[in-house]
Amino acid sequence: MDTSSVLPARGDSPQAEPQTGWRQSLPHQILTGLPLTLFFPVGVMYAGVLLFYISLLVSGGYLKKMHRIRQSAMLLPILGLSLVSIVLAAMQDIPPEISKEFWPGLVHYQTYLFLLPFLTVAAGVWQRRAMYVFFAGAVLAATLFVANFFHLLPVNTVFRSYVIYEGNKSILLGILMAIAAAWMLHDLRTHRDHLVWRVLAVVYVAAALVLLAKTRTASLLFFILCGVLILRQIGWSWRVVALPLILLAALGGGWKYALSLPPPATCEVRLVQAGPWEIFKLRSLCTVHQLHDFSQGRKVNDDGMRLELYKITGEIIAEKPLTGHGIATWMYLYQKKAKGLISSTMTTPHNDYLLYLTEVGVIGLFALLAIWATQYWVAYRMACKEVHENPNTREMAMPLLMLTIAMMLGGMFNAILRDAVFGMAFMILLAIPLAGMRNKN
C-alpha cells in the first residue's frame, strides 16, 4: 500500500458530523466515552469495548464500515504482523511445557487487530470530545492519587490501583496521565479559551504524575513528549541542536552527582515512609546506582533485576535470531536459563523488543516496527499542509505522533503489547487521531 498520501476519507470531514439516527450515532458516542474507562479497573474498559462492538452491529452500514477499514493506511501493516505470527506459529513445535501458554501467547500478537473495528467510525467532532473526556479522566486520576496521599481512598476494587502498586495497571495509569498532560499542552497551542484553567489542569496532572504516580517510565515519557513539543514549536535552528546537547550535559552532571551520594539503604518504595519528592529522589538514586552496579558486574537487588532480564534474554535471542524460538517460549526458556537468580520467576522480559526477538525473531520485530513506522508516516502526512488544508486534521497529527512515541518508549521498559491492559488502552487512544484517515490510492 502506498502511504505517501493520507487523507480524511471522503465524507468523513472532522468539522461536522452528518445528521444520523440514534443507532448510527451509537458507535462514535460510545467511542467518545471509552477513554474515561481506561482510568478504572480493566473490567470497566472491557465492558465499554464490548458495548462498542454491540453498537457496531446495531448501527448497520456494514459495507461502509468495511470500506473504511480497507481504505485505512494501517490495514496492511496490521495484517502483516498477524500473518507473520500465525505462519511462525504454524511452523512451531509445541512442547508440553508451553502448551497452556501457546494460544494466549498467539492472541497477544493479534492486539492490533482490535484497532480495526475502531477505524470503522468516521471522523467528526467526537474526536475532540473524546480528547476532552480523556483529559477529564487524567484530572480524575490525579485527584485520586492526591486523595490517596492524604489516606482518603478505601482499598477496594475501584481504587486499588491508586492505593496499592499493582504492576502493569499502576504503570498504565501513569503512562495515560503522561500522554494526557502532553496532549493538553499541545491543545494549548491551538485553543486559547479558558487558558488559566487549561494551564492549571496541565500542572495538576503533571505534578501528580511525577510526585505521586508509581512509575519512572511515565515521568520519563512526559518529559520526552514535552521535548517533542518544544522542538516542534521552535522549528529547525541551532537551538534544535543545542537543546539535546544541553540535556545530555545535564544528565551527565546529574549522573555523577547521584553516584557521589551513598546508595539508599533500600529501594523498596513501599517500605519507605516519606513525602512525594523524597520518594522521587529515592527512585532516581536507586536507578543510577543499580545501573552502575550492573555495569561493574556487581550483584543487583530486586529493583535492578530488569538489567539481569535484559542480559540473559539477549543470550537467548542470540541462539535463534532470525525467526525466534516460537510463540510463548520466552518464559519457559528464561526460567530454565535463569534458575537460581532473583529474576527467575519473571513472566515477561518487560521489553517488547526483546520479547518479539525471542519469540518471533527479527522478522516479527520488523513487522511490529512497520506498524509503528506507518503511524509515524500517517502523522507526518496529516501535518503537511499540501496534503489537506483542514486544520482539524493537522491538529490530530501531534497526538498520533505522541502515542507512537509512547508505545515505542513504553515497549523498552514494559510489555506494552504482551499485556492486554496496555494493548487495548492504546488501541482505544489510537482510534481518536486515526479516525477517517485513508490511503489516497
Side-chain angles (χ1 to χ4, degrees):
M1 178 181 292
D2 176 16
T3 57
S4 61
S5 294
V6 181
L7 300 169
R10 188 170 299 170
D12 289 350
S13 171
Q15 290 189 347
E17 289 167 355
Q19 295 296 321
T20 58
W22 68 271
R23 289 192 305 170
Q24 288 72 32
S25 65
L26 268 180
H28 74 250
Q29 290 178 353
I30 294 174
L31 190 51
T32 299
L34 279 183
L36 184 61
T37 67
L38 307 182
F39 296 94
F40 292 95
V42 66
V44 178
M45 177 184 71
Y46 287 141
V49 172
L50 178 60
L51 191 61
F52 172 78
Y53 289 160
I54 294 173
S55 73
L56 285 183
L57 296 175
V58 171
S59 61
Y62 307 123
L63 291 178
K64 184 178 289 188
K65 290 181 172 67
M66 291 300 298
H67 183 61
R68 290 196 186 108
I69 292 177
R70 288 198 302 269
Q71 283 187 319
S72 174
M74 297 297 299
L75 178 61
L76 284 186
I78 290 174
L79 294 181
L81 175 59
S82 292
L83 179 63
V84 166
S85 64
I86 291 172
V87 169
L88 291 176
M91 298 167 56
Q92 174 183 347
D93 293 328
I94 307 175
E97 294 84 358
I98 67 167
S99 57
K100 291 183 179 179
E101 289 82 20
F102 176 79
W103 292 108
L106 181 59
V107 171
H108 291 144
Y109 287 96
Q110 319 309 316
T111 297
Y112 258 99
L113 290 177
F114 290 96
L115 175 62
L116 298 181
F118 295 131
L119 299 183
T120 62
V121 179
V125 295
W126 71 266
Q127 292 169 281
R128 178 150 297 281
R129 292 176 190 150
M131 289 182 67
Y132 289 152
V133 168
F134 184 47
F135 297 165
V139 172
L140 173 62
T143 302
L144 291 176
F145 275 121
V146 171
N148 177 60
F149 176 71
F150 291 105
H151 307 289
L152 299 177
L153 286 185
V155 185
N156 57 26
T157 304
V158 176
F159 303 122
R160 188 175 182 83
S161 296
Y162 294 93
V163 180
I164 300 172
Y165 182 77
E166 286 197 311
N168 285 348
K169 181 58 182 179
S170 296
I171 294 171
L172 175 64
L173 289 174
I175 290 176
L176 292 174
M177 291 171 66
I179 295 171
W183 280 16
M184 289 178 186
L185 282 173
H186 167 66
D187 201 51
L188 279 173
R189 296 176 60 248
T190 53
H191 296 81
R192 296 288 181 171
D193 56 315
H194 310 295
L195 185 60
V196 174
W197 289 109
R198 288 174 181 270
V199 172
L200 288 175
V202 174
V203 173
Y204 182 57
V205 173
L209 161 67
V210 174
L211 299 177
L212 301 177
K214 306 172 181 69
T215 164
R216 287 165 288 190
T217 303
S219 297
L220 175 63
L221 173 63
F222 174 67
F223 291 122
I224 288 177
L225 295 182
C226 288
V228 171
L229 277 175
I230 292 172
L231 292 176
R232 173 67 178 86
Q233 186 68 27
I234 64 179
W236 176 255
S237 67
W238 62 269
R239 290 173 293 182
V240 176
V241 179
L243 183 61
L245 295 177
I246 293 171
L247 291 175
L248 285 174
L251 286 173
W255 177 275
K256 288 188 175 181
Y257 174 72
L259 288 178
S260 69
L261 298 175
T266 179
C267 290
E268 295 291 328
V269 176
R270 64 178 180 273
L271 303 178
V272 178
Q273 297 295 325
W277 178 246
E278 293 301 319
I279 294 292
F280 178 78
K281 289 196 297 184
L282 171 66
R283 301 206 73 179
S284 301
L285 274 177
C286 285
T287 299
V288 172
H289 280 278
Q290 287 295 324
L291 286 170
H292 183 259
D293 288 347
F294 188 80
S295 67
Q296 299 296 316
R298 292 194 287 268
K299 187 177 180 181
V300 296
N301 60 24
D302 289 354
D303 193 61
M305 72 168 64
R306 290 194 184 189
L307 300 170
E308 189 174 85
L309 272 171
Y310 298 161
K311 179 183 177 182
I312 297 175
T313 300
E315 295 172 0
I316 297 173
I317 292 168
E319 296 170 2
K320 203 173 180 182
L322 184 60
T323 59
H325 293 270
I327 304 295
T329 56
W330 181 88
M331 185 170 66
Y332 169 70
L333 293 173
Y334 186 85
Q335 292 181 355
K336 185 178 177 182
K337 200 173 185 69
K339 198 169 184 178
L341 299 176
I342 58 174
S343 61
S344 61
T345 58
M346 291 291 100
T347 56
T348 75
H350 293 278
N351 184 300
D352 270 330
Y353 303 94
L354 295 180
L355 179 65
Y356 272 63
L357 285 171
T358 302
E359 297 191 349
V360 290
V362 173
I363 296 174
L365 179 61
F366 179 81
L368 174 63
L369 294 178
I371 294 178
W372 287 343
T374 302
Q375 290 175 197
Y376 271 118
W377 187 243
V378 172
Y380 171 74
R381 300 305 296 174
M382 288 168 70
C384 290
K385 293 181 180 180
E386 66 269 19
V387 170
H388 199 270
E389 293 296 337
N390 189 332
N392 292 335
T393 300
R394 293 198 299 274
E395 284 176 20
M396 291 294 165
M398 184 57 75
L400 177 56
L401 175 63
M402 289 179 172
L403 278 176
T404 306
I405 292 173
M407 297 185 77
M408 297 188 76
L409 178 69
M412 295 179 184
F413 306 105
N414 300 280
I416 293 291
L417 296 177
R418 168 63 174 77
D419 194 316
V421 172
F422 287 111
M424 186 62 76
F426 275 105
M427 297 306 108
I428 291 171
L429 293 179
L430 282 171
I432 299 174
L434 284 174
M437 300 310 299
R438 66 176 176 87
N439 188 63
K440 183 177 179 180
N441 296 322

